[in-house]
Amino acid sequence: MDNTIPIMKGEERLSKIAEQIVRLANADFSKQGDVSEEGDDIDSIVIGLNLISEELETYITQLNNSQKKVEHTLIQLSEAQRLSHIGSWEWEVPKNTITWSDELYRIYGRTPETFAATFENFMLCIHPEDREYVNGIIQKAFKEKAPFSFSHRCLRPDGTIAHLDCKGNVYVSATGDIERMTGTSQDISKLKKAEEKSLKLATIVEFSNDAIISKTLEGIITSWNKQAETLFGYTEEEALGQHISIIFPTDRLKEEVNILKEIKAGHPLIGYETERKRKDGTFLAVSATISPIKDINGKVVGASKIVRDITAKKLAEERLLAYTTALEQKSRETEQFAYIASHDLQEPLRTITNYIGLFYDDYKGKLDKSADMYLDFISGASRRMQTLITDLLDYTRIETEKTPTKLDLNVLVKDIVQDMGKTISDANAKIEFYNLPVITGYTSRLKSLFQNLISNAIKFKKPETIPIISITAQDDGKDWLFSVTDNGIGIEKIYHDKIFLLFQRLHNRSEFEGTGIGLAHCKKIVELRGGKLWVESELGKGSTFYFTLPKKTIL
Ligand code: ADP
């Protein structure tokens, strides 16, 4: 109160001075006595005016200070509005002029220079779909003369949309007429987006095919979605507030200690396969992904669990494993049988071949023509049977070799070419190879592999054509990629897979000799080493057999 200006005192003084001035104006200076009296009056007027001028100066200083304070407060208010995205407005209803704060202009995407704030213009700022609704609210406020609040979308000139939350007050005059309305509009677009996002997430969680559960660091369940209800048999109501151990089999309770240890350290557990228990006591195999839940400061405050029922998958895996094991066993037995059979057949076959040889030498040409022909058939068949048995033995023997060695494939192929000298020279074939790598492998297997492919390339040559065979190797990163290319008869696309099956041949014996074991043998050799074998070929245009051999050390 000390700072307030003593205006009343000043006014009194001012009226006294005025009185004195009036008196002075009416004074009769012709009279002697009046002159000295009026001189006193003038002095007191001057003193009074000086005092008033001093008071006025103080008053002006105080006014200036107050104005500065008001300006400062206004700046603070504007800054507060900007930070909180709250704009304010005041509507002088009788004059239909509206005053907007700077923030409100910003929110509506307008500027005071280009936008005349009237009610009609304000309505244009509102999203067309919300205009009727907003107008209804304002009309209701007029009628009820009571505070109001509403939300609406505003459409900015640049086409963007903002979501606003508005509150208003109505001021009524003594005569009951509305004088003005004031209010605030808050831009809640970010909040709305966050709301929509969390709503979306909530929907995803609710309708997820996985059970989604959250719990505190003490293991208390804090959320439990629909699928968790289905999977574990507890309703949300039953599960919330319970300890997570309700779904743990007794012998797995210790797991939770380890899980929480990892979670507290901020480490997620991904695809953790384990077993859990339903409300009815039955068990299920699950795959769980458990992640830490952090507060805004990054502190771990809980964990979220996404749990998938993998009982069916586990069962299928177990079945597949059993099936594969049985198949492997069967295949081993079959190979063993083929090996034993072919091995045991060799002996009697040798005897037959020997005696046929003797019989042939002694009786050929001595019996009639038919007997000679039968003799030819028998000796041809026994020769083929011998080849068949040798090939079969080679095929089944693959797994019996045990020690891999370092092999220069240039040397290996050169040896093969030498061994096949007669076949190669009979066919006049040309075999090209260079820069083949040195690899670690089983000599006999690799020899069989290259030998089979080279002999096929010669065997399936085009008539009247010199077979040209080229063997290449290419470094393919993890693997070596080999190719054996010929200019032979080629293979139709539909047979590109079939030819690698055991006993599968595309020609009869009169066209090309063979047993149909060679390529199956090659495939087995390549696959045992973790590689692949395939063919690219067109009928009449030659073939290229490709195979890969992984570089990794083999055992
Ligand atoms: P075989 O040579 O004893 O008949 P394979 O298993 O080695 O048996 O070959 C299977 C079949 O694939 C052959 O009968 C032949 O029809 C076809 N084939 C293999 N190599 C070639 C090749 N280089 N060119 C054309 N056809 C081939």
Short mmCIF file of all heavy atoms in Angstrom, two decimals, residues 456-457 459-460 486 489-491 499 504-507 513-520 543 545, ligand 1:
data_model
loop_
_atom_site.label_atom_id
_atom_site.label_comp_id
_atom_site.label_asym_id
_atom_site.label_seq_id
_atom_site.Cartn_x
_atom_site.Cartn_y
_atom_site.Cartn_z
N ASN A 456 30.47 -90.82 -68.46
CA ASN A 456 29.14 -90.52 -69.02
C ASN A 456 29.27 -89.54 -70.18
O ASN A 456 28.59 -89.68 -71.20
CB ASN A 456 28.22 -89.91 -67.95
CG ASN A 456 27.52 -90.98 -67.14
OD1 ASN A 456 27.61 -92.17 -67.44
ND2 ASN A 456 26.84 -90.58 -66.08
N ALA A 457 30.12 -88.51 -69.98
CA ALA A 457 30.29 -87.48 -71.01
C ALA A 457 30.80 -88.11 -72.31
O ALA A 457 30.46 -87.65 -73.41
CB ALA A 457 31.25 -86.41 -70.52
N LYS A 459 30.42 -91.55 -72.97
CA LYS A 459 29.44 -92.56 -73.39
C LYS A 459 28.25 -91.95 -74.14
O LYS A 459 27.82 -92.46 -75.16
CB LYS A 459 28.95 -93.32 -72.15
CG LYS A 459 27.95 -94.40 -72.45
CD LYS A 459 27.81 -95.41 -71.32
CE LYS A 459 27.24 -94.83 -70.06
NZ LYS A 459 26.90 -95.85 -69.07
N PHE A 460 27.76 -90.79 -73.62
CA PHE A 460 26.57 -90.21 -74.23
C PHE A 460 26.93 -89.16 -75.28
O PHE A 460 26.35 -88.08 -75.34
CB PHE A 460 25.65 -89.64 -73.13
CG PHE A 460 25.14 -90.71 -72.21
CD1 PHE A 460 25.67 -90.88 -70.93
CD2 PHE A 460 24.17 -91.61 -72.64
CE1 PHE A 460 25.22 -91.89 -70.10
CE2 PHE A 460 23.71 -92.64 -71.80
CZ PHE A 460 24.24 -92.78 -70.53
N ASP A 486 29.99 -81.37 -71.58
CA ASP A 486 30.25 -82.16 -72.79
C ASP A 486 29.46 -81.62 -73.97
O ASP A 486 28.59 -80.75 -73.79
CB ASP A 486 29.94 -83.64 -72.53
CG ASP A 486 28.48 -83.89 -72.22
OD1 ASP A 486 27.61 -83.41 -72.99
OD2 ASP A 486 28.18 -84.55 -71.20
N ILE A 489 24.73 -85.83 -76.31
CA ILE A 489 23.33 -85.87 -76.79
C ILE A 489 22.39 -84.97 -76.00
O ILE A 489 21.29 -84.66 -76.45
CB ILE A 489 22.79 -87.33 -76.76
CG1 ILE A 489 22.89 -87.90 -75.34
CG2 ILE A 489 23.51 -88.20 -77.77
CD1 ILE A 489 22.15 -89.21 -75.17
N GLY A 490 22.82 -84.57 -74.80
CA GLY A 490 21.97 -83.68 -73.99
C GLY A 490 20.82 -84.43 -73.33
O GLY A 490 20.56 -85.62 -73.64
N ILE A 491 20.14 -83.76 -72.43
CA ILE A 491 19.06 -84.41 -71.66
C ILE A 491 17.86 -83.46 -71.63
O ILE A 491 18.01 -82.26 -71.37
CB ILE A 491 19.51 -84.67 -70.20
CG1 ILE A 491 20.81 -85.48 -70.17
CG2 ILE A 491 18.44 -85.36 -69.38
CD1 ILE A 491 21.59 -85.38 -68.89
N ILE A 499 17.40 -88.47 -63.44
CA ILE A 499 18.62 -89.22 -63.76
C ILE A 499 19.51 -89.48 -62.54
O ILE A 499 20.40 -90.31 -62.59
CB ILE A 499 19.46 -88.52 -64.86
CG1 ILE A 499 19.72 -87.05 -64.48
CG2 ILE A 499 18.81 -88.64 -66.22
CD1 ILE A 499 20.74 -86.39 -65.39
N GLN A 504 17.85 -95.34 -62.55
CA GLN A 504 17.06 -94.60 -63.54
C GLN A 504 17.94 -94.33 -64.78
O GLN A 504 18.99 -93.72 -64.70
CB GLN A 504 16.59 -93.25 -62.97
CG GLN A 504 15.60 -93.38 -61.85
CD GLN A 504 14.30 -94.03 -62.28
OE1 GLN A 504 13.86 -93.89 -63.42
NE2 GLN A 504 13.70 -94.80 -61.38
N ARG A 505 17.45 -94.82 -65.93
CA ARG A 505 18.18 -94.64 -67.19
C ARG A 505 17.23 -94.10 -68.23
O ARG A 505 16.03 -94.35 -68.17
CB ARG A 505 18.76 -95.97 -67.69
CG ARG A 505 19.45 -96.78 -66.63
CD ARG A 505 20.32 -97.86 -67.23
NE ARG A 505 21.38 -97.32 -68.04
CZ ARG A 505 21.57 -97.60 -69.32
NH1 ARG A 505 20.77 -98.46 -69.93
NH2 ARG A 505 22.55 -97.08 -70.01
N LEU A 506 17.75 -93.38 -69.19
CA LEU A 506 16.87 -92.80 -70.21
C LEU A 506 16.94 -93.58 -71.51
O LEU A 506 16.20 -93.29 -72.45
CB LEU A 506 17.25 -91.32 -70.47
CG LEU A 506 17.27 -90.42 -69.24
CD1 LEU A 506 17.61 -88.98 -69.65
CD2 LEU A 506 15.92 -90.44 -68.53
N HIS A 507 17.85 -94.56 -71.56
CA HIS A 507 18.00 -95.30 -72.81
C HIS A 507 18.06 -96.78 -72.51
O HIS A 507 18.43 -97.17 -71.41
CB HIS A 507 19.29 -94.88 -73.53
CG HIS A 507 19.41 -93.41 -73.66
ND1 HIS A 507 20.09 -92.64 -72.75
CD2 HIS A 507 18.91 -92.55 -74.59
CE1 HIS A 507 20.01 -91.38 -73.10
NE2 HIS A 507 19.30 -91.30 -74.22
N GLU A 513 25.10 -98.80 -73.04
CA GLU A 513 25.30 -99.74 -71.92
C GLU A 513 25.21 -98.98 -70.61
O GLU A 513 25.53 -97.79 -70.55
CB GLU A 513 26.70 -100.36 -72.02
CG GLU A 513 26.78 -101.58 -72.92
CD GLU A 513 26.16 -102.82 -72.28
OE1 GLU A 513 25.96 -102.80 -71.05
OE2 GLU A 513 25.84 -103.77 -73.01
N GLY A 514 24.82 -99.63 -69.54
CA GLY A 514 24.85 -98.96 -68.23
C GLY A 514 23.97 -99.64 -67.22
O GLY A 514 23.17 -100.53 -67.56
N THR A 515 24.10 -99.17 -65.97
CA THR A 515 23.33 -99.78 -64.88
C THR A 515 22.39 -98.80 -64.21
O THR A 515 21.55 -99.16 -63.40
CB THR A 515 24.30 -100.30 -63.79
OG1 THR A 515 25.13 -99.20 -63.37
CG2 THR A 515 25.17 -101.42 -64.31
N GLY A 516 22.58 -97.51 -64.47
CA GLY A 516 21.74 -96.48 -63.82
C GLY A 516 22.17 -96.22 -62.37
O GLY A 516 21.38 -95.70 -61.58
N ILE A 517 23.40 -96.59 -62.06
CA ILE A 517 23.87 -96.38 -60.69
C ILE A 517 24.83 -95.18 -60.61
O ILE A 517 24.91 -94.48 -59.61
CB ILE A 517 24.59 -97.65 -60.16
CG1 ILE A 517 23.59 -98.80 -60.09
CG2 ILE A 517 25.20 -97.42 -58.79
CD1 ILE A 517 24.22 -100.13 -59.73
N GLY A 518 25.53 -94.90 -61.71
CA GLY A 518 26.61 -93.91 -61.72
C GLY A 518 26.24 -92.55 -61.11
O GLY A 518 26.91 -92.07 -60.18
N LEU A 519 25.17 -91.91 -61.61
CA LEU A 519 24.85 -90.56 -61.12
C LEU A 519 24.33 -90.59 -59.69
O LEU A 519 24.59 -89.67 -58.91
CB LEU A 519 23.83 -89.89 -62.05
CG LEU A 519 24.40 -89.40 -63.38
CD1 LEU A 519 23.31 -88.73 -64.23
CD2 LEU A 519 25.54 -88.42 -63.17
N ALA A 520 23.59 -91.68 -59.34
CA ALA A 520 23.13 -91.80 -57.94
C ALA A 520 24.34 -91.88 -57.02
O ALA A 520 24.36 -91.29 -55.93
CB ALA A 520 22.26 -93.04 -57.79
N SER A 543 25.62 -81.27 -72.29
CA SER A 543 25.20 -81.14 -70.89
C SER A 543 26.34 -80.58 -70.06
O SER A 543 27.51 -80.79 -70.38
CB SER A 543 24.85 -82.51 -70.29
OG SER A 543 24.02 -83.24 -71.15
N PHE A 545 27.30 -80.84 -66.03
CA PHE A 545 27.01 -81.30 -64.67
C PHE A 545 27.77 -80.40 -63.71
O PHE A 545 28.98 -80.23 -63.86
CB PHE A 545 27.42 -82.77 -64.49
CG PHE A 545 26.45 -83.71 -65.15
CD1 PHE A 545 26.53 -83.98 -66.52
CD2 PHE A 545 25.42 -84.30 -64.42
CE1 PHE A 545 25.62 -84.83 -67.13
CE2 PHE A 545 24.51 -85.14 -65.02
CZ PHE A 545 24.60 -85.41 -66.39
P1 ADP B 1 24.22 -95.09 -66.64
O1 ADP B 1 25.28 -94.23 -67.23
O2 ADP B 1 24.77 -96.35 -66.11
O3 ADP B 1 23.05 -95.28 -67.51
P2 ADP B 1 23.93 -92.99 -64.76
O4 ADP B 1 23.31 -92.99 -63.42
O5 ADP B 1 25.35 -92.65 -64.85
O6 ADP B 1 23.66 -94.41 -65.37
O7 ADP B 1 23.13 -92.04 -65.69
C1 ADP B 1 21.72 -92.07 -65.70
C2 ADP B 1 21.20 -91.59 -67.02
O8 ADP B 1 21.46 -90.20 -67.19
C3 ADP B 1 21.88 -92.21 -68.20
O9 ADP B 1 21.30 -93.45 -68.52
C4 ADP B 1 21.68 -91.18 -69.30
O10 ADP B 1 20.41 -91.34 -69.87
C5 ADP B 1 21.72 -89.87 -68.54
N1 ADP B 1 23.04 -89.24 -68.62
C6 ADP B 1 24.03 -89.28 -67.72
N2 ADP B 1 25.09 -88.56 -68.12
C7 ADP B 1 24.75 -88.01 -69.31
C8 ADP B 1 25.43 -87.15 -70.25
N3 ADP B 1 26.65 -86.67 -70.01
N4 ADP B 1 24.78 -86.80 -71.38
C9 ADP B 1 23.52 -87.28 -71.63
N5 ADP B 1 22.85 -88.09 -70.79
C10 ADP B 1 23.46 -88.47 -69.65
#
